[in-house]
Amino acid sequence: MQTVLLIDDDVELVEMLKEYIEQENFSVQVAHDGIAGAQMLLEQPFDIVVLDVMMPRLNGIETLKAIRQHSNVPVIMLTAKGDNTDRIVGLELGADDYVPKPSSPRELVARIRAILRRVQPLETINANTQITVGALCIWPAQRLVEWDSQPVILTSTEYSLLEILAKNAGQIVSKQDLSQQALGRPLARFDRSIDVHLSSIRHKLGLLPDGRHCIQTVFRSGYQLLKS
């Protein structure tokens, strides 16, 4: 059974979400502040974390920073509806996705499932399968990435985006397709999630010999991973 850590100070909401998520065959543990949640992650592994932004003692942004110091566990942020600043900051710090509050438990579970499906390697992938594009090497079975023979640490969403671009190297992939395949949801209007994730990937990868980033923005079309 896959495990979910729910970190939110709203006791009534947490109990409602916990009950609903458990009915969907997940094991759920809860923490009502960021300090307790980060400590629980140090003590035991979880498959995914659902983290509220607005909390006492240690808010969600600071909690995410603490989590990313020692774990690459997938994280979904719960953000106030319309608060784009918290969403962008959370994504820049390594959140995999966000769900605006108030939201339905059904939507949250759908997002959880979408992310967990991505991070589980398909049994049909041969362990020796490798994608190579210039200095970039990807091993899909292990979800490992190297650039110029050096390991690159990516979040689950960053990895999924990079793998999609690598499989389509030299071709333009639309933001809508990237959102659908990597995030498991249609791209909403004014949603900058894909842009923020790809900006992070660019910084983690090296430059090409000519000084360009290997991931190029194609105006009004999408993104393209250059072949060399």
Side-chain angles (χ1 to χ4, degrees), residues 48 77 128 194:
I48 194 166
M77 302 288 288
N128 295 320
I194 298 298

Side-chain angles (χ1 to χ4, degrees), residues 46-133:
F46 289 89
D47 292 304
I48 194 166
V49 175
V50 178
L51 174 63
D52 185 34
V53 170
M54 299 297 294
M55 291 188 297
R57 298 186 70 192
L58 195 68
N59 65 33
I61 298 299
E62 294 302 318
T63 302
L64 179 60
K65 287 182 182 179
I67 290 172
R68 284 292 175 249
Q69 288 178 3
H70 60 80
S71 174
N72 257 351
V73 62
V75 175
I76 297 177
M77 302 288 288
L78 297 178
T79 65
K81 189 173 183 179
D83 194 338
N84 291 325
T85 300
D86 280 341
R87 294 175 188 175
I88 292 172
V89 171
L91 294 172
E92 288 175 340
L93 290 174
D96 291 271
D97 203 357
Y98 65 86
V99 175
K101 296 173 69 175
S103 62
S104 70
R106 182 178 179 181
E107 178 184 3
L108 178 58
V109 168
R111 299 286 185 91
I112 290 172
R113 290 193 191 281
I115 290 177
L116 292 178
R117 277 197 300 269
R118 296 198 315 263
V119 300
Q120 292 179 325
L122 297 176
E123 294 180 1
T124 55
I125 296 177
N126 188 298
N128 295 320
T129 298
Q130 179 179 329
I131 303 170
T132 302
V133 183

Side-chain angles (χ1 to χ4, degrees), residues 14 16 29 36 113 124 131 145 147 165 180 206 217 221 224:
V14 164
M16 184 269 289
Q29 294 195 42
R113 290 193 191 281
T124 55
I131 303 170
V145 176
W147 177 270
L165 290 172
Q180 194 69 63
T217 303
S221 296
Q224 178 185 35

